[in-house]
Structures are given as structure tokens and as C-alpha cells.
Amino acid sequence: MWIVVCYDVNTETRQGRKRLRRVAQVCKNYGQRVQKSVFECQVNEMKLEDLRRKLLREIEEKEDNLRLYRLTEPREKNVETFGIFEQVFFDDDPLIV
Amino acid sequence: MWIVVCYDVNTETRQGRKRLRRVAQVCKNYGQRVQKSVFECQVNEMKLEDLRRKLLREIEEKEDNLRLYRLTEPREKNVETFGIFEQVFFDDDPLIV
């Protein structure tokens, strides 16, 4: 199945910025970054469970918001995208990995 | 149908920040804000067409990215949400309307 992961992490504090980086890092292992805080991931039930568990370990439930959406299949007919889409480094990407 | 609207607007310039406010304003007329730049909207084909047209009028295709996802129904079974969710004012909300 295809899911979309969206997150809002409160980056007012240093810990928040660290969480943001870690959340993005988790998502990168499961799918494709399409916006600053949106990933598209193709997963089965087991991978979804892993992903969910890892994300919940990173976010601070009192400060951040996380949403997982299941897309209507076939995906290519149910996603519309406009504007630029480049494989760029986002702010929270470390320059040195 | 339920759709999720996600946008990344380049806010490095004053024009970009203005676009961000205008994009959010368009979305507010069609659905519920759930994150800084994510809205959930219940629309029929005609409303979706209106929404798409209005959004495309606001974004700068060379700088911004817009994605519309169609959710699997029933929505309540296909959206998972974690963490805070408050009806708060976001940065791009005008304090005086």
C-alpha cells in the first residue's frame, strides 16, 4: 500500500530541531521525500508497523503532530503534483552524513 | 471524496510569504487545516476543480510544490494521527482579518 507521512515538529527549541532531523531520517528509510515534511512510502503491514513505531519513538506527542494517510490505489491516478520537484537537500539534511 | 492538500511554498522572499498566506487562505475555504501546510478537504469533482484552479493561480510553479492526494475511503479508517492537534493560529494567519 502507499502511504503519505506528514509531520509538524515544533522547532522552537534545539531538541525540536533534533527531533525534526530524526523524524526525516526515519522516513528516508521507508520512502521518498516529496516536500519538506512529507514523504510517500510504499509499505506492507509489517513495514508500516515498524515505521509507525519508530516515528512515535521520535516525536514529542505534546509538541508535534504526525499523520499517516493511506492513498487510494492506483497511486499514480490519485496523486496530483504541481510545481518544482527536485531532489534537493532540505534544511534538516546533514551536509556530512 | 476526501483529499489531502500539501504545499511547500518558498518563503525566502516577501512575495513567497504572501503566496503562502494566499494558498492557506484558499485551502481554508475548502477544508480543515491539520498541519502548517496540510489541509484535509471533502470535495466533489466540481469543488476539486475549483480548488485546483485557485491554488494554481497562487503558487509559483518554478518555486513552490503542491500535491493533492486522494484518500482511501472510509477516511476515518485510513488516517492515523498522533500528537497535538489544536485549532491554533499558524504563522501565516493574519491576526487581524
Side-chain angles (χ1 to χ4, degrees):
Chain A
M1 77 192 96
W2 279 93
I3 62 160
V4 176
V5 182
C6 307
Y7 48 87
D8 255 357
V9 173
N10 180 354
T11 55
E12 279 165 18
T13 62
R14 198 174 162 178
Q15 290 93 329
R17 291 187 288 278
K18 194 173 166 191
R19 287 201 305 279
L20 182 71
R21 283 194 297 275
R22 292 174 65 106
V23 166
Q25 202 55 54
V26 168
C27 291
K28 276 180 206 164
N29 294 327
Y30 291 83
Q32 165 73 55
R33 190 174 213 160
V34 294
Q35 287 185 357
K36 267 186 215 140
S37 56
V38 181
F39 282 75
E40 294 176 9
C41 309
Q42 191 172 23
V43 291
N44 56 25
E45 287 294 343
M46 209 180 71
K47 276 200 166 179
L48 175 57
E49 209 170 293
D50 281 353
L51 173 59
R52 187 191 297 115
R53 197 186 58 242
K54 286 179 188 166
L55 287 173
L56 291 179
R57 210 154 56 193
E58 300 301 344
I59 68 162
E60 179 54 71
E61 296 219 24
K62 290 205 182 89
E63 294 189 49
D64 311 327
N65 181 266
L66 168 69
R67 300 177 99 78
L68 308 179
Y69 294 106
R70 183 158 177 183
L71 291 189
T72 304
E73 310 272 342
R75 172 180 164 277
E76 52 281 10
K77 282 198 179 171
N78 292 292
V79 181
E80 293 183 60
T81 150
F82 306 96
I84 54 158
F85 177 57
E86 296 172 76
Q87 280 300 79
V88 292
F89 282 107
F90 286 92
D91 294 348
D92 58 358
D93 275 317
L95 287 174
I96 300 158
V97 186
Chain B
M1 76 191 98
W2 278 93
I3 63 161
V4 175
V5 181
C6 307
Y7 48 86
D8 254 356
V9 172
N10 180 354
T11 54
E12 279 165 17
T13 62
R14 196 173 163 183
Q15 289 93 329
R17 292 187 287 278
K18 193 174 167 189
R19 287 202 305 282
L20 183 70
R21 283 194 298 274
R22 292 174 65 105
V23 166
Q25 202 54 53
V26 168
C27 291
K28 276 179 207 166
N29 294 326
Y30 290 83
Q32 166 73 55
R33 191 174 211 159
V34 293
Q35 287 184 359
K36 267 187 215 138
S37 56
V38 180
F39 282 76
E40 295 176 8
C41 310
Q42 191 173 23
V43 291
N44 56 25
E45 287 295 343
M46 208 180 71
K47 275 200 168 179
L48 175 58
E49 209 171 292
D50 281 352
L51 172 60
R52 186 192 296 115
R53 198 186 59 241
K54 286 179 188 164
L55 288 171
L56 291 178
R57 213 154 55 192
E58 301 301 345
I59 68 162
E60 179 55 71
E61 296 217 25
K62 291 203 180 88
E63 295 189 49
D64 311 326
N65 181 265
L66 168 69
R67 299 178 99 80
L68 308 179
Y69 294 105
R70 185 160 174 180
L71 291 189
T72 304
E73 311 270 343
R75 171 180 165 276
E76 53 280 12
K77 281 198 177 169
N78 292 290
V79 180
E80 293 184 60
T81 150
F82 306 97
I84 54 157
F85 177 57
E86 296 173 75
Q87 279 299 80
V88 291
F89 280 106
F90 286 92
D91 293 348
D92 58 358
D93 276 316
L95 286 175
I96 301 160
V97 188

